[in-house]
Amino acid sequence: PSTPHDKLTPAGSIAPEVSQYPGVNQLSSTLGGLSLQHSQQPESLRPVNLTQDRNILPVSPVLAPVPNLNSDLRKLNCSPDSFRCTLTNIPQTQALLNKAKLPLGLLLHPFRDLTQLPVITSSTIVRCRSCRTYINPFVAFIDQRRWKCNLCYRVNDVPEEFMYNPLTRSYGEPHKRPEVQNSTVEFIASSDYMLRPPQPAVYLFVLDVSYNAVEAGYLTIVCQSLLENLDKLPGDSRTRIGFITFDSTVQFYNLQEGLSQPQMLIVSDIDDVFLPTPDSLLVNLHESKELIKDLLNALPNMFTNTRETHSALGPALQAAFKLMSPTGGRISVFQSQLPSLGAGLLHSREDPNQRSSTKVVQHLGPATDFYKKLALDCSGQQTAVDLFLLSSQYSDLASLACMSKYSAGCIYYYPSFHHSHNPAQSEKLQKDLKRYLTRKIGFEAVMRIRCTKGLSIHTFHGNLFVRSTDLLSLANVNPDAGFAVQMSIEESLTDTSLVCFQTALLYTSSKGERRIRVHTLCLPVVTSLADVYAGADVQAAVCLLANMAVDRSVSSSLSDARDALVNAVVDSLSAYISTASNLQQSTLIAPNSLKLFPLYILALLKQKAFRTGTSTRLDDRIYAMCQIKSQPLVHLMKMIHPNLYRIDRLTNEGTIHVNDRVVPQPPLQKLSAEKLTREGAFLMDCGSIFYIWIGKSCDNSFIKDVLGYPNYASVPQKLTQLPELDTVSSERARSFISWLRDSRPLSPVLQVIKDESPAKTDFFQHLVEDRTEAAFSYYEFLLHIQQQICK
């Protein structure tokens, strides 16, 4: 498939003057005066008749559009996996942006795991004296001694040390240094970048041990996982660890090196919680390792006969805050029910009869500001709070989630968790913990996003606290966190054909090094409406709109948010149709770049976060909203519009070779029951879960060779893994699934679903193109959009 714009020779493209210092100012290329009637119309502007063309879903997953830059800049540009913009052609003015009716914003995944990352150890970190931008591939060298900032255009001196290139060991070629050859780099920072000596890695686990929690049996899994990964926790010789448990009282554990066994200290005055001993509650992991292991082995059985049903979560968190304040670090909270005692206690606010209401959905916001205040206190002391909610009934996640949202923590949710009755959730907790405990972590971090003069950022999305207008405070940063920002064009971008965005993340590594990770993205500026549409990145736009819709649901109402999502499609397609003089008004036409826009928005409206008329538990809805606000784009898109593949007929056609595996590449199917044949087997990839749906009349050879059962009837209801069988079809299916798994940090759980199993509804609710009692089919939605446009 051709990339957008590959047929285009931009009108302004140039043969750079032969100069010793090629700089961006000579490489500028503009999309001079392209219009819809242009003879070389880019593929992204090909008009698509949505009501007639029933097969708009491409056969392979949608890739980010490649910005229309000349090849030199394209090679240098930041990977879309770290940084992408909703428009890859930036409108020159706010008026042009308003005309296009598309959202302008950035989606960031700044700390993601990278296979290669240039690390720069030089003692001078070169930055613009005016706007503090880090030197990057898109600055211009005026001569050997001066460079011009690509964000504010100030001319800066090149420091002497920068004249030497450590890679080529040559002098006098500043434009060849790694900082200027890579758009993603990491600097080792000097003491100027520290407010205090870098902190050690400090981990505190706060565990609910009430009757509910003990009955659910999560403690065994958590303690087991910690025992297995104790030596893999990121850190160095200074790493510290501690444990607090709680029910109606708060229990601390003295792990002082030299004790013969851990000592439990109980604080029962929960209205005025205090630390029972000044030290030895957070201990050096290496010095006290044996005591820590003893505690982890003992904990699961210490509370087996408990009669305590109360939960003093608030006081336990206040104690945790006191314990962590001197250093900062990470608090991991495991909670199984509504907090019922002390500060932060909550009452049930859910009316189960209202779960499928089409009217007002209430209680999307917190019931108390206790958890937000606590989070801000923690954030001020460089401490993030991560929440694992393992609940069998309503637990008011809308209130509890605040502890993580404002402290830059993360949220995990396991509804109906039970170690034996719900094996899929147990397996998910195990897999999540393995990733959670061993993934990279950055402490005491701040992030700043800068952009070319004229552009301004006005709203931030993600689990963070905005400390000053543009400084984001992240007590912890993890590689699975995504962020989004909305932007506007405050001054026309008339003097430039390119704009740049730079995000800089300053953090302390788990080894106690202060580091700065910098990503820089460069995009062309355009003056015609057609070019704005040509460069639209539909997935980025949908993810940004989803973030905006979550805010709108909480600040206004769910129905307002839903209307706003529909209007986003109506307004942009309506604006597009009115610019294209040669299109009949009676059909629904979209430019190729936006052909999936209505489908993705319909899918979003059917997501648990936004759906109405279908029974949805309040905590499930809130969790989906939390996910939207904190997941990177790739993960969020699979949540909104999963990928469906037929897997009972995998062939060698079009396979790819990865390492030493041959991986089949079945085409994507549209999310509709009409695609499911009773004779087939289908895999749905929803990001954190894989469903395999088996049709009633599925070929016995597939069931035998891949699932390892003689026939359909003998396949059990709760099957969560594929056996390793020595057959071609087993090899192919497993190879395809492992390849999908390897593309993401979290290992998804697998659920095999038979046509009559109760779990079938989980699978079918993702078939977004079909109609339900409460929602349009895709075709009905298109007709609805068309009616709105013709109004």
Side-chain angles (χ1 to χ4, degrees), residues 115-347:
T115 40
Q116 62 185 123
L117 172 68
V119 175
I120 290 153
T121 52
S122 82
S123 55
T124 353
I125 295 177
V126 180
R127 300 176 67 178
C128 172
R129 282 172 57 194
S130 237
C131 70
R132 308 300 290 146
T133 291
Y134 293 81
I135 198 165
N136 63 79
F138 310 107
V139 306
F141 283 94
I142 293 168
D143 54 39
Q144 243 184 340
R145 293 283 176 191
R146 291 178 305 159
W147 63 278
K148 185 176 179 181
C149 175
N150 50 324
L151 268 62
C152 73
Y153 311 125
R154 175 183 174 132
V155 175
N156 293 276
D157 295 333
V158 174
E160 184 60 42
E161 191 192 343
F162 203 77
M163 298 297 291
Y164 177 72
N165 184 353
L167 288 187
T168 55
R169 300 196 171 163
S170 57
Y171 187 81
E173 298 182 309
H175 60 280
K176 289 191 179 163
R177 277 187 58 115
E179 299 93 318
V180 192
Q181 291 296 323
N182 297 282
S183 55
T184 290
V185 294
E186 186 148 281
F187 296 98
I188 306 280
S190 61
S191 56
D192 316 351
Y193 290 86
M194 301 173 199
L195 294 171
R196 58 176 188 174
Q199 67 167 77
V202 184
Y203 303 112
L204 177 62
F205 295 88
V206 179
L207 305 158
D208 175 353
V209 292
S210 63
Y211 176 79
N212 240 16
V214 172
E215 213 285 311
Y218 84 89
L219 268 173
T220 313
I221 297 174
V222 172
C223 293
Q224 196 48 47
S225 188
L226 261 166
L227 283 164
E228 284 166 18
N229 295 297
L230 214 46
D231 295 330
K232 298 185 197 132
L233 289 178
D236 56 16
S237 60
R238 306 177 302 156
T239 303
R240 296 164 71 182
I241 190 167
F243 298 87
I244 290 177
T245 53
F246 65 97
D247 36 37
S248 65
T249 63
V250 180
Q251 301 99 43
F252 298 82
Y253 296 86
N254 181 345
L255 298 163
Q256 178 77 48
E257 188 199 2
L259 286 174
S260 57
Q261 63 184 60
Q263 188 184 17
M264 184 200 278
L265 306 162
I266 300 174
V267 172
S268 49
D269 183 0
I270 56 168
D271 294 325
D272 184 17
V273 93
F274 60 91
L275 300 182
T277 163
D279 37 28
S280 68
L281 297 177
L282 274 177
V283 292
N284 182 294
L285 172 61
H286 308 284
E287 291 166 8
S288 297
K289 187 171 281 172
E290 290 315 308
L291 281 172
I292 293 164
K293 285 182 175 170
D294 292 347
L295 178 63
L296 289 171
N297 281 312
L299 265 177
N301 305 318
M302 278 166 51
F303 301 92
T304 30
N305 301 321
T306 184
R307 291 276 165 269
E308 289 276 4
T309 54
H310 277 300
S311 165
L313 172 65
L317 284 171
Q318 289 172 327
F321 168 67
K322 287 185 170 163
L323 195 47
M324 294 296 275
S325 288
T327 50
R330 180 177 78 189
I331 300 176
S332 311
V333 180
F334 291 80
Q335 173 71 6
S336 72
Q337 60 176 330
L338 267 175
S340 57
L341 280 184
L345 75 93
L346 296 167
H347 303 285

Side-chain angles (χ1 to χ4, degrees), residues 706-748:
V706 177
L707 301 179
Y709 290 90
N711 52 27
Y712 180 82
S714 58
V715 176
Q717 287 288 8
K718 290 184 174 173
L719 184 59
T720 58
Q721 47 207 28
L722 297 186
E724 292 200 20
L725 303 173
D726 197 6
T727 62
V728 176
S729 6
S730 169
E731 184 63 39
R732 278 182 190 154
R734 284 181 295 111
S735 171
F736 179 56
I737 290 172
S738 331
W739 174 73
L740 290 176
R741 271 208 171 118
D742 291 348
S743 69
R744 69 203 74 187
L746 270 181
S747 184

Side-chain angles (χ1 to χ4, degrees), residues 640-789:
I640 296 171
H641 188 279
N643 291 335
L644 181 68
Y645 307 92
R646 183 166 182 178
I647 57 160
D648 60 315
R649 296 183 173 171
L650 296 174
T651 64
N652 276 341
E653 201 182 320
T655 52
I656 57 172
H657 291 258
V658 181
N659 303 332
D660 47 1
R661 277 211 307 262
V662 177
V663 183
Q665 296 290 294
L668 283 178
Q669 308 282 337
K670 60 184 192 180
L671 295 174
S672 164
E674 72 179 48
K675 284 292 171 202
L676 300 177
T677 128
R678 285 270 158 88
E679 287 77 38
F682 291 80
L683 171 83
M684 186 188 282
D685 174 1
C686 304
S688 56
I689 184 165
F690 291 150
Y691 295 108
I692 293 182
W693 178 83
I694 312 259
K696 268 206 175 81
S697 327
C698 182
D699 192 346
N700 272 348
S701 65
F702 174 82
I703 293 175
K704 218 172 20 244
D705 293 350
V706 177
L707 301 179
Y709 290 90
N711 52 27
Y712 180 82
S714 58
V715 176
Q717 287 288 8
K718 290 184 174 173
L719 184 59
T720 58
Q721 47 207 28
L722 297 186
E724 292 200 20
L725 303 173
D726 197 6
T727 62
V728 176
S729 6
S730 169
E731 184 63 39
R732 278 182 190 154
R734 284 181 295 111
S735 171
F736 179 56
I737 290 172
S738 331
W739 174 73
L740 290 176
R741 271 208 171 118
D742 291 348
S743 69
R744 69 203 74 187
L746 270 181
S747 184
V749 287
L750 178 76
Q751 214 172 341
V752 176
I753 292 180
K754 293 171 73 171
D755 200 24
E756 71 284 2
S757 80
K760 194 171 102 167
T761 48
D762 295 340
F763 178 82
F764 277 86
Q765 70 181 7
H766 292 295
L767 299 176
V768 295
E769 297 206 20
D770 298 337
R771 70 168 310 199
T772 60
E773 294 107 82
F776 286 134
S777 71
Y778 174 58
Y779 188 69
E780 289 168 331
F781 186 61
L782 291 176
L783 296 179
H784 174 69
I785 296 285
Q786 197 177 327
Q787 277 168 353
Q788 298 295 311
I789 289 176

Side-chain angles (χ1 to χ4, degrees), residues 221 414-432 688-689 691 718-720 748-752 762:
I221 297 174
Y414 306 87
S416 329
F417 181 87
H418 193 280
H419 68 106
S420 57
H421 306 326
N422 194 340
Q425 288 287 25
S426 286
E427 191 196 347
K428 184 160 174 20
L429 176 62
Q430 277 166 352
K431 290 187 159 166
D432 287 351
S688 56
I689 184 165
Y691 295 108
K718 290 184 174 173
L719 184 59
T720 58
V749 287
L750 178 76
Q751 214 172 341
V752 176
D762 295 340

Side-chain angles (χ1 to χ4, degrees), residues 15 76 242 254 257 343 345 351 389 554 586 738:
L76 290 168
N254 181 345
E257 188 199 2
L345 75 93
D351 174 356
L389 181 62
V554 179
S586 60
S738 331

